[in-house]
Amino acid sequence: DAGVIQSPRHEVTEMGQEVTLRCKPISGHNSLFWYRQTMMRGLELLIYFNNNVPIDDSGMPEDRFSAKMPNASFSTLKIQPSEPRDSAVYFCASGVRGSVGELFFGEGSRLTVL
Amino acid sequence: GDSVTQMEGPVTLSEEAFLTINCTYTATGYPSLFWYVQYPGEGLQLLLKATKADDKGSNKGFEATYRKETTSFHLEKGSVQVSDSAVYFCALSYEGGSEKLVFGKGTKLTVNP
């Protein structure tokens, strides 16, 4: 059974460019989470969805960040315009609502903004 | 707000040594507690969990006991292997609540042969 699939695995872009990160959750999972990992701040929750509906986006750093989940099998995290301080590894994780804390993580998308 | 504090790393051990990684938490309610592991270049994986006080979670030789009186959930393993080299994250979440996982900053473990 396929796990959480993220793309791209690596992205290098220049400041000011738009970045789109993609996630395919595990089939049958109905919760989806976007986390950001940096050395300084560790793992930060950006946003999460239940049944494709955004529940809590209080972790989204600013208006440059947006996330969508148009259907149960796909989500995107967009940064526009990107800045060097956005450089991080972005993880998508999915789970079954009610299975508290039991998340399945993708391998992450490493973003470098020059 | 809720938070998780882990011991600073990195931790370097020889194979077959005993491992302890300390974790304490601050919570407004009664959370479930978790340990996740991240191997190099991979995403996080759930290692073990405990949902109430005095519960012991265990998996792959690792174990941790939910201690409400000391608000702790220390990770232990009696004999580490080179393959245990990874970053370990302590986390908490609430049943019936927001379902968010709040993570500690992680502790990097290196096991030498």
Side-chain angles (χ1 to χ4, degrees):
Chain A
D1 200 12
V4 175
I5 299 172
Q6 291 187 244
S7 65
R9 289 294 312 277
H10 301 275
E11 173 95 4
V12 180
T13 190
E14 293 191 346
M15 183 172 63
Q17 296 298 304
E18 178 179 293
V19 174
T20 300
L21 308 179
R22 298 173 178 80
C23 175
K24 177 178 170 55
I26 292 173
S27 177
H29 284 188
N30 51 11
S31 293
L32 185 138
F33 299 74
W34 282 101
Y35 281 88
R36 176 170 69 176
Q37 185 179 39
T38 60
M39 290 292 291
M40 290 297 295
R41 299 171 70 94
L43 274 163
E44 303 172 276
L45 177 64
L46 300 177
I47 185 171
Y48 80 97
F49 298 82
N50 279 342
N51 296 317
N52 314 337
V53 176
I55 302 301
D56 184 350
D57 65 355
S58 60
M60 297 285 262
E62 48 199 271
D63 292 346
R64 298 184 298 106
F65 285 68
S66 62
K68 294 182 180 179
M69 191 165 186
N71 57 60
S73 58
F74 185 65
S75 177
T76 59
L77 178 68
K78 187 174 290 187
I79 308 172
Q80 166 63 16
S82 58
E83 297 182 3
R85 61 189 167 131
D86 301 331
S87 298
V89 181
Y90 291 81
F91 287 103
C92 175
S94 69
V96 176
R97 192 175 179 196
S99 296
V100 177
E102 296 189 28
L103 298 185
F104 294 78
F105 282 74
E107 294 184 324
S109 294
R110 180 176 294 276
L111 173 65
T112 302
V113 183
L114 303 175
Chain B
D2 300 334
S3 65
V4 175
T5 302
Q6 293 180 232
M7 63 186 287
E8 294 280 330
V11 174
T12 302
L13 296 173
S14 298
E15 206 164 24
E16 300 184 3
F18 183 85
L19 168 71
T20 300
I21 300 178
N22 290 338
C23 170
T24 57
Y25 66 90
T26 302
T28 53
Y30 301 100
S32 294
L33 301 174
F34 305 83
W35 278 100
Y36 275 77
V37 59
Q38 183 180 27
Y39 297 103
E42 299 183 10
L44 282 72
Q45 304 172 24
L46 178 62
L47 180 60
L48 55 83
K49 71 173 195 177
T51 58
K52 61 184 187 295
D54 300 325
D55 266 4
K56 178 185 284 188
S58 61
N59 186 24
K60 299 182 181 180
F62 291 89
E63 55 183 37
T65 301
Y66 189 166
R67 301 286 189 200
K68 183 180 167 186
E69 62 276 13
T70 54
T71 62
S72 64
F73 192 56
H74 304 322
L75 182 68
E76 296 182 336
K77 187 175 185 183
S79 176
V80 293
Q81 305 301 311
V82 173
S83 57
D84 294 327
S85 299
V87 181
Y88 293 82
F89 293 89
C90 187
L92 65 80
S93 187
Y94 288 97
E95 186 168 358
S98 68
E99 301 182 355
K100 294 189 291 189
L101 268 170
V102 176
F103 286 96
K105 292 204 166 181
T107 302
K108 183 176 182 179
L109 169 67
T110 300
V111 181
N112 295 318

